[in-house]
Amino acid sequence: MRIVAETAGVFLAGLGVYVTVARLEPLPRPAFQLAALAAGAALFPLRRRFPGVVLLALAALTGLATGVGPVAAAAAYAVARQAVRARRRARLLAAAAAVVVAAATASAPWLGPGQPSYGLALGLVLAATAVVVPGLVGTAHGQQGRLLQALRERGDAAERARRSADSEARTQERSRIAAEMHDLVGHRLSLISLHAGGLEMALGRAAPELREEAVLVRRTTRDALRELRQALGVLGPLGPDTGPGVLTDATGTRADIETLVAESRDGGIAVRLQWTGPDLDNRPAPVRRAVHRVVREALTNVHRYAAQAHVTVTVAHDDEAVRVTVRNGAAPPPSPSAGNVGTGRGLAGLAERVELLGGTFDAGPLPSGGFQVAAAVPAEPGDAPGPARAHAPSGVDGPAGPAGTEEAVPSGRRTAEALTLACGLGVLSVLMVLGILFVYGTRPHRSVPPPLPHVGMSLHEVAAAGVLDNAAVRAAATGREPPRPAGTAGCIYPFNGATERRPGGLIVARYCFDASQRLIAIDRFTVPSVRDAAPWESS
């Protein structure tokens, strides 16, 4: 459907050029002109499949018939926009322009303005408007489209890399949480197994019939501990912040947070702690460890990027949630020898840990120039993990998200582009018409003299040749003319060019017509004349 619309559009543009020029300047062989336009419209849909051949063929037809110019212009635009290699595009456009000039020059005596020199001028006009200008516009649009495509692909690659980094950070944080669970649950299972062994020894003396139950508990606990280690063994070696020496029952309590603040203060950072509410020693371990991780990661970032800034650590604890905020002021710009720039994966990991507990996490720069990390963790997250964030795959959005916009934007862009190209083709067609009319208007026009009156012409044809009756000549011939031919119905006596002076007389021409107003005789005779005195001789 689109190809049909494009072909119809360029055909109508070519037909408009042909009709406009033909009304102002009669074009030779109009049937050939229309046939060439139809052939050009038939070749136009093949421009994408055979760009070079179609462009050269349309260029040749444009040199023979000016009406094919808009069709060739649209093809030159499409070919230049489609061609990727600059050399091939330049060669095609140069060859097409040369074909237009050569065809217009060679066909000028039969299909053009007449002389080869004027055919050359017409070819230059058509080459500029039908090949060069649309080719340059197509080249610019093609380069712009390819640049936008490359930038879009680069942006998509960067977005995929960012999402991959975030996903990796979240996966690492989940692995860290699983390792913490391994330490915590493994420790509890070890205690259960130890107590079950003691119970087994005690029951062996006090109640031998219950000893097998104690043995079953100890073996089941041992098997559970082994299966837990096998399931979580893929995590690899644990980091320094997940070892048993760090993640203890005191992790995340007020004393632990004060220790982190004191360590940062000893490292040269002006940090201040504000604690509101009771301690966190009675809160679940995941909540305390999330608080510990938020404060620790935020202070680590301050050490890395804003060591000269003032920092405030705020912990607000109530019955519903634990709210942690780490805010630092504006820091001086880093020197070229500053440390490595971070990847932001730590913040993504913190967001994953907090959201798995059903909390909220936010991190970003402040209007004053500083940076703030804020997290709100439920005080009792419950047995089930919090609502997980929906991560759409790369390039896929929800039904009401940007996907609909992505579909709408290209459609509107295509419509605007089609309207722009149609206006451009219209402007090129106008310029083409003006150039063609200029060439035809400047060529020398041969004036054809009207035919001389002869016997057999009608009265209208004789009058069109400039032979008109003159009353003075008729009066001079009255009574002095020879007899009229037989069948004469009337005569005229012209003056312009047919009356000559002779000494003492005038030569008068007489055109006689029959009843059907056909010229039947042309006679010349002399009538006497009287010399008029000059005005200064009269008395």
Side-chain angles (χ1 to χ4, degrees):
M1 187 65 184
R2 181 181 176 184
I3 296 177
V4 175
E6 291 175 349
T7 305
V10 296
F11 176 78
L12 292 178
L15 187 62
V17 170
Y18 167 76
V19 172
T20 304
V21 175
R23 287 177 63 89
L24 300 176
E25 283 287 343
L27 293 176
R29 294 177 175 80
F32 177 82
Q33 302 272 346
L34 293 176
L37 177 58
L43 287 174
F44 182 74
L46 303 176
R47 69 194 184 281
R48 299 184 185 275
R49 195 169 185 180
F50 309 103
V53 176
V54 171
L55 180 59
L56 293 178
L58 290 176
L61 290 177
T62 301
L64 301 178
T66 56
V68 192
V71 184
Y77 169 83
V79 170
R81 185 175 183 178
Q82 180 183 357
V84 178
R85 296 183 178 180
R87 291 184 178 180
R88 183 174 184 271
R89 180 172 57 247
R91 286 196 297 264
L92 275 177
L93 294 178
V99 168
V100 171
V101 174
T105 304
S107 63
W110 303 277
L111 301 173
Q115 298 180 7
S117 59
Y118 288 91
L120 176 62
L122 180 62
L124 293 175
V125 170
L126 293 175
T129 55
V131 176
V132 177
V133 172
L136 294 178
V137 175
T139 300
H141 283 190
Q143 294 287 10
Q144 181 183 11
R146 286 185 286 273
L147 178 59
L148 290 177
Q149 181 66 22
L151 292 177
R152 190 178 295 113
E153 293 176 355
R154 185 174 180 179
D156 292 342
E159 180 66 17
R160 287 193 298 268
R162 185 191 64 81
R163 292 185 179 181
S164 176
D166 289 348
S167 177
E168 182 180 355
R170 294 176 184 277
T171 302
Q172 290 179 356
E173 192 65 24
R174 290 193 177 200
S175 300
R176 195 191 308 271
I177 295 172
E180 295 172 1
M181 181 184 68
H182 172 271
D183 294 339
L184 180 63
V185 177
H187 177 66
R188 300 302 181 188
L189 290 177
S190 298
L191 292 178
I192 293 174
S193 178
L194 179 62
H195 289 294
L199 182 62
E200 178 185 353
M201 295 178 61
L203 291 176
R205 296 188 298 269
E209 66 277 6
L210 298 178
R211 180 176 180 275
E212 293 298 328
E213 298 295 333
V215 172
L216 179 62
V217 171
R218 181 174 59 81
R219 290 178 179 176
T220 303
T221 304
R222 183 188 60 190
D223 294 340
L225 182 58
R226 185 181 67 254
E227 291 174 357
L228 177 64
R229 289 173 178 173
Q230 290 176 353
L232 301 180
V234 297
L235 297 175
L238 301 179
D241 59 339
T242 58
V246 175
L247 295 179
T248 64
D249 291 339
T251 299
T253 61
R254 180 168 185 171
D256 178 54
I257 301 302
E258 289 176 348
T259 301
L260 292 177
V261 170
E263 291 176 354
S264 297
R265 190 178 295 117
D266 294 340
I269 295 180
V271 57
R272 180 167 55 98
L273 174 63
Q274 294 179 352
W275 188 287
T276 304
D279 203 346
L280 300 179
D281 50 358
N282 294 327
R283 293 302 179 188
V287 174
R288 290 186 282 108
R289 291 176 179 178
V291 172
H292 172 88
R293 287 279 298 145
V294 169
V295 175
R296 180 176 177 179
E297 181 68 24
L299 292 178
T300 301
N301 289 338
V302 171
H303 276 278
R304 182 178 300 173
Y305 305 113
Q308 306 299 325
H310 294 273
V311 185
T312 301
V313 179
T314 304
V315 179
H317 175 209
D318 53 30
D319 294 337
E320 296 181 356
V322 181
R323 297 173 177 83
V324 183
T325 303
V326 180
R327 177 184 301 177
N328 63 271
S335 61
S337 59
N340 296 332
V341 178
T343 61
R345 297 185 182 183
L347 296 179
L350 290 182
E352 183 70 9
R353 179 183 287 265
V354 172
E355 289 168 2
L356 284 175
L357 295 175
T360 59
F361 181 84
D362 181 61
L366 297 173
S368 59
F371 198 86
Q372 175 178 290
V373 176
V377 184
E380 295 292 337
D383 296 335
R389 179 189 300 178
H391 300 289
S394 178
V396 179
D397 295 296
T405 306
E406 285 293 327
E407 292 297 329
V409 169
S411 177
R413 189 178 301 154
R414 284 195 298 268
T415 302
E417 182 179 356
L419 293 176
T420 302
L421 294 180
C423 294
L425 184 60
V427 172
L428 271 180
S429 299
V430 172
L431 295 177
M432 202 175 298
V433 168
L434 294 177
I436 294 170
L437 293 178
F438 177 78
V439 173
Y440 273 88
T442 55
R443 63 174 179 168
H445 293 273
R446 298 178 181 177
S447 58
V448 180
L452 295 176
H454 57 83
V455 175
M457 295 180 67
S458 64
L459 178 61
H460 178 73
E461 293 174 344
V462 172
V467 180
L468 302 175
D469 187 54
N470 186 276
V473 178
R474 174 185 290 275
T478 301
R480 301 179 178 86
E481 60 180 322
R484 295 182 176 182
T488 300
C491 299
I492 62 175
Y493 303 87
F495 178 81
N496 47 348
T499 303
E500 301 178 4
R501 284 184 176 274
R502 283 191 177 183
L506 295 173
I507 298 178
V508 178
R510 181 181 65 184
Y511 294 80
C512 296
F513 298 86
D514 57 10
S516 60
Q517 295 186 348
R518 289 288 174 180
L519 182 61
I520 59 175
I522 301 176
D523 299 323
R524 292 178 180 272
F525 53 90
T526 303
V527 297
S529 62
V530 178
R531 180 176 179 273
D532 297 329
W536 56 82
E537 295 179 354
S538 59
S539 57

